[in-house]
Amino acid sequence: MLKVAVLVSGGGTNLQAIIDGIENGSITNAKIDVVISNNKNAYALERAKKHDIEAVALSPKDFETRDLFNEALYNELVDRKIDLIVLAGCLVVIPEKIIHEFENRIINIHPSLIPSFCGTGYYGLKVHEKALARGVKVSGATVHFVNEIADGGPIIIQKAVEVQDDDTPEILQKRVMEQAEWKILPQAIDLIANDKIEIIDHLVRTKKK
Ligand code: GRF
């Protein structure tokens, strides 16, 4: 059984999609061990508690230095013997020590079709603002492994979503979440939990039976 830590910062609708996936059986062989938020007021923490999942608030603001925060986050994950870290709307930059310790065991959901509209500075509504400003007709979401390059790790799943002429960033964000993010993040976890994929030369491939 894959022991998962979900790292969040906000509303937690992607977390909810994972919880629902585990409860309805579309994700198998995985269990959420803990939900960790850098924001103690994040509604995601309430969602965890409602489903009897341990909810931990760990904020850089509560530590004298960033290094001490990074160390606390590292210890929390290592002490729990976490198998997979899922960044589900997590705004904290993951320290290198965690990226190395959990190599190929951290995944992130990004609200565009990588390599478009990604990298440093592309988060939240900004991603959709840039997509609309460029006039793309299709956007979507990507689940990828996390390495030291922002949004640069191997891509696991992508799903496209149509852009409409009168979209606002908020409308597009909602459509991308509903039609793409909430579907592909649970799917990616299920693939990993059931040992269905592997990374070969930086690319994710379906394992041959
Ligand atoms: C999502 O758009 C996700 O792609 C991005 O942050 C947002 C999180 O939303 N990384 P929620 O907290 O899961 O509702």
Side-chain angles (χ1 to χ4, degrees), residues 75-205:
N75 290 337
E76 188 74 41
L77 296 163
V78 169
D79 292 350
R80 288 174 179 276
K81 298 189 165 49
I82 293 299
D83 297 310
L84 179 71
I85 301 171
V86 178
L87 308 181
C90 172
L91 295 176
V92 169
V93 176
I94 302 302
E96 266 188 29
K97 190 173 171 189
I98 294 180
I99 293 179
H100 290 142
E101 177 72 31
F102 292 87
E103 193 184 5
N104 298 335
R105 293 190 295 140
I106 310 175
I107 64 172
N108 179 49
I109 176 90
H110 182 78
S112 75
L113 294 174
I114 290 174
S116 291
F117 312 115
C118 66
T120 308
Y122 285 85
Y123 60 90
L125 272 181
K126 288 185 203 293
V127 177
H128 305 293
E129 283 165 11
K130 300 275 189 193
L132 292 178
R134 184 63 185 86
V136 292
K137 303 304 179 198
V138 171
S139 191
T142 303
V143 182
H144 62 92
F145 284 106
V146 171
N147 62 14
E148 54 291 333
I149 304 158
D151 298 324
I155 292 171
I156 305 169
I157 308 183
Q158 296 188 295
K159 191 163 193 302
V161 169
E162 275 187 26
V163 178
Q164 308 293 341
D165 283 353
D166 52 359
D167 275 350
T168 62
E170 290 80 5
I171 291 171
L172 180 58
Q173 179 182 52
K174 184 165 179 278
R175 190 180 310 118
V176 168
M177 284 180 144
E178 289 173 353
Q179 295 184 9
E181 294 183 38
W182 301 343
K183 295 192 164 98
I184 64 176
L185 186 56
Q187 281 170 10
I189 295 170
D190 186 61
L191 289 174
I192 294 167
N194 290 288
D195 200 22
K196 293 273 171 60
I197 55 172
E198 60 189 333
I199 300 174
I200 301 172
D201 295 337
H202 194 70
L203 305 176
V204 173
R205 299 298 189 208

Side-chain angles (χ1 to χ4, degrees), residues 55-76:
V56 172
L58 206 57
S59 167
K61 291 182 194 143
D62 299 332
F63 294 85
E64 266 181 37
T65 65
R66 190 71 187 198
D67 281 351
L68 287 171
F69 164 76
N70 288 347
E71 199 58 27
L73 182 59
Y74 176 89
N75 290 337
E76 188 74 41

Side-chain angles (χ1 to χ4, degrees), residues 21-33:
I22 291 174
E23 291 184 354
N24 70 27
S26 54
I27 301 174
T28 57
N29 282 326
K31 175 186 182 298
I32 303 178
D33 187 65

